[in-house]
Amino acid sequence: RSTIFSMFTRTKCCSIAGMMKPSMAEANSGLSYKKFVHFALEETKKHTQLIPSSLQENFNCLKAIDGKTELEMHSFGSSNIRLLRSLSVEGSDGMQVLDFAIFPRPEFDLPIFCANFFTTAVMNIIVLDLNPLHDVISRQDYKEKYYKHLIPLGLKYAELLPWGGRITTESMKFFSPIIIWTKFPPSEQKHHVLYSAFEDYLKSWLELMDQASMETDVSQIMLNLESQHRYLTWRAEKDPGHQVLRRLVGETHAKEIIRSFLFNGVDDLGSKTFVDYFPEYKSEDGTINQKRSMIGKSFESRPWDATGEFIGNSIT
Ligand code: BLA
């Protein structure tokens, strides 16, 4: 399968120069997400030694079927990061996508850093969060440990980037009390607010990482591993971006990018299947129900109060 990729990667794409010089990238692409990636890599390097991932060989640059849109991928690991990976897409039609995530090693119960921005000429769909590894509604201790001190930061941005409206109910289980979920038409001012939110959330995550102690209890490590695998299994199956990726690069490449790159680990960090974790999606013939959501959308307004208490109805 590497041959398919190297065939594509030989074509010149994704200006590396643009990556190194954010000012140039900005000048070239307006409200680009390249600056976000550049900041994230530089900032993370201040805290931990990033080592290029073996995934970089197969996942770096790809031109979409339209011959114009470019997909740029980066991946690294470190002593406490299992995988930091980034996918950014710059379409010819004004489409800009960023899918940036940091997955900690299973010895850490740290949240998963998650930035998902989908931008077209008319709309921005934004998710930015430190996705909790363990349940923040039933596990008060986990919420206290990682989010209590961040609630004021979450409140600041909840005001600047208001709640985006009804959302896939199942997704809420993967979100924290400081989730930024917002939608807005293109706006330079909002783009800047989003950039500063991205900076603040990443810095907060890196501070948590600096302070995190490595778990030695094998049963706790196994719990962390299973939670991360469950998260990967959910996103590898139901992430809203899949349809866009399929359209851009076709079914085969999209599947590779999703399972081997974006949600790397889904096929080897655990042996449970999607319907083991999410049995409500099992259809009569045993296959996975193709619906994105079984419950439907809910949470018209932000279901977390100013103290970080969950005030939505229970998520069944
Ligand atoms: C929409 N993306 C959304 C929505 C969410 C997310 C919550 C709103 C629609 C919904 O309620 O599902 C993001 N959902 C997440 C995340 C998690 C989750 C991060 O459960 C984590 C657990 N979005 C991307 C990328 C693309 C993309 C890379 O991150 C495209 C390549 C596209 N997101 C995209 C599109 C929509 C969307 C097109 C609107 C389509 C829809 O509403 O189904």
Side-chain angles (χ1 to χ4, degrees):
R1 66 188 187 195
S2 57
T3 45
I4 307 175
F5 269 93
S6 48
M7 198 173 78
F8 278 88
T9 52
R10 244 180 257 133
T11 61
K12 261 195 184 165
C13 91
C14 306
S15 86
I16 300 296
M19 258 308 290
M20 306 317 279
K21 297 192 190 99
S23 55
M24 245 179 70
E26 265 175 282
N28 291 343
S29 41
L31 304 180
S32 160
Y33 291 129
K34 279 202 169 139
K35 189 176 146 188
F36 291 60
V37 178
H38 180 82
F39 165 80
L41 296 181
E42 291 309 307
E43 193 65 23
T44 307
K45 282 179 196 162
K46 293 181 191 165
H47 294 255
T48 186
Q49 195 192 346
L50 287 181
I51 298 154
S53 158
S54 57
L55 291 171
Q56 279 196 5
E57 202 183 308
N58 288 335
F59 300 94
N60 39 64
C61 280
L62 192 61
K63 258 212 164 80
I65 293 166
D66 67 9
K68 291 181 199 139
T69 305
E70 291 185 346
L71 290 79
E72 180 173 316
M73 290 165 271
H74 298 276
S75 53
F76 298 89
S78 83
S79 57
N80 30 24
I81 293 171
R82 181 179 68 81
L83 175 66
L84 176 160
R85 92 305 182 269
S86 161
L87 164 70
S88 45
V89 181
E90 306 222 321
S92 50
D93 53 359
M95 184 181 75
Q96 302 269 353
V97 178
L98 178 66
D99 182 340
F100 185 97
I102 313 179
F103 301 97
R105 289 195 184 275
E107 290 82 5
F108 300 92
D109 68 354
L110 283 166
I112 295 163
F113 182 85
C114 164
N116 277 78
F117 308 153
F118 178 74
T119 296
T120 65
V122 293
M123 189 52 79
N124 291 275
I125 300 176
I126 306 295
V127 172
L128 175 62
D129 193 25
L130 313 188
N131 289 156
L133 196 62
H134 299 297
D135 188 331
V136 277
I137 298 167
S138 66
R139 288 267 315 268
Q140 199 71 22
D141 60 323
Y142 188 79
K143 189 167 82 177
E144 294 261 320
K145 183 174 176 183
Y146 287 119
Y147 298 100
K148 197 175 175 208
H149 70 291
L150 294 174
I151 299 294
L153 183 72
L155 285 174
K156 173 183 157 186
Y157 285 110
E159 206 159 295
L160 295 168
L161 299 165
W163 188 251
R166 280 152 56 85
I167 191 170
T168 301
T169 307
E170 288 88 347
S171 292
M172 277 307 293
K173 283 190 238 175
F174 298 97
F175 295 162
S176 85
I178 62 163
I179 173 80
I180 297 176
W181 151 238
T182 194
K183 284 197 256 188
F184 53 85
S187 145
E188 201 164 324
Q189 185 257 338
K190 284 272 174 91
H191 187 83
H192 291 310
V193 173
L194 183 63
Y195 183 69
S196 84
F198 182 82
E199 283 182 316
D200 285 348
Y201 274 50
L202 183 71
K203 284 179 183 168
S204 301
W205 189 87
L206 290 168
E207 275 167 26
L208 294 177
M209 182 192 77
D210 289 344
Q211 292 154 14
S213 48
M214 197 183 239
E215 184 64 69
T216 50
D217 180 343
V218 176
S219 65
Q220 288 304 317
I221 297 174
M222 291 311 285
L223 286 178
N224 294 343
L225 195 60
E226 178 161 304
S227 286
Q228 201 170 131
H229 186 245
R230 182 173 177 275
Y231 177 95
L232 293 167
T233 304
W234 168 255
R235 294 200 59 189
E237 191 65 42
K238 296 295 178 191
D239 212 61
H242 294 356
Q243 202 48 42
V244 180
L245 275 180
R246 278 188 211 108
R247 182 168 52 76
L248 284 173
V249 297
E251 184 76 37
T252 311
H253 278 108
K255 202 168 167 226
E256 284 226 14
I257 292 173
I258 290 161
R259 294 199 78 87
S260 305
F261 180 74
L262 292 178
F263 307 112
N264 177 282
V266 64
D267 293 320
D268 47 53
L269 290 188
S271 52
K272 283 195 185 172
T273 64
F274 183 84
V275 292
D276 290 336
Y277 289 123
F278 310 100
E280 62 280 18
Y281 281 85
K282 191 170 179 174
S283 38
E284 273 170 23
D285 62 0
T287 58
I288 302 170
N289 193 315
Q290 288 305 299
K291 277 192 197 168
R292 282 252 343 278
S293 168
M294 299 307 289
I295 315 176
K297 293 196 179 190
S298 47
F299 308 113
E300 186 72 50
S301 55
R302 190 176 183 83
W304 301 92
D305 75 9
T307 66
E309 278 305 304
F310 188 71
I311 50 165
N313 294 327
S314 64
I315 307 168
T316 46

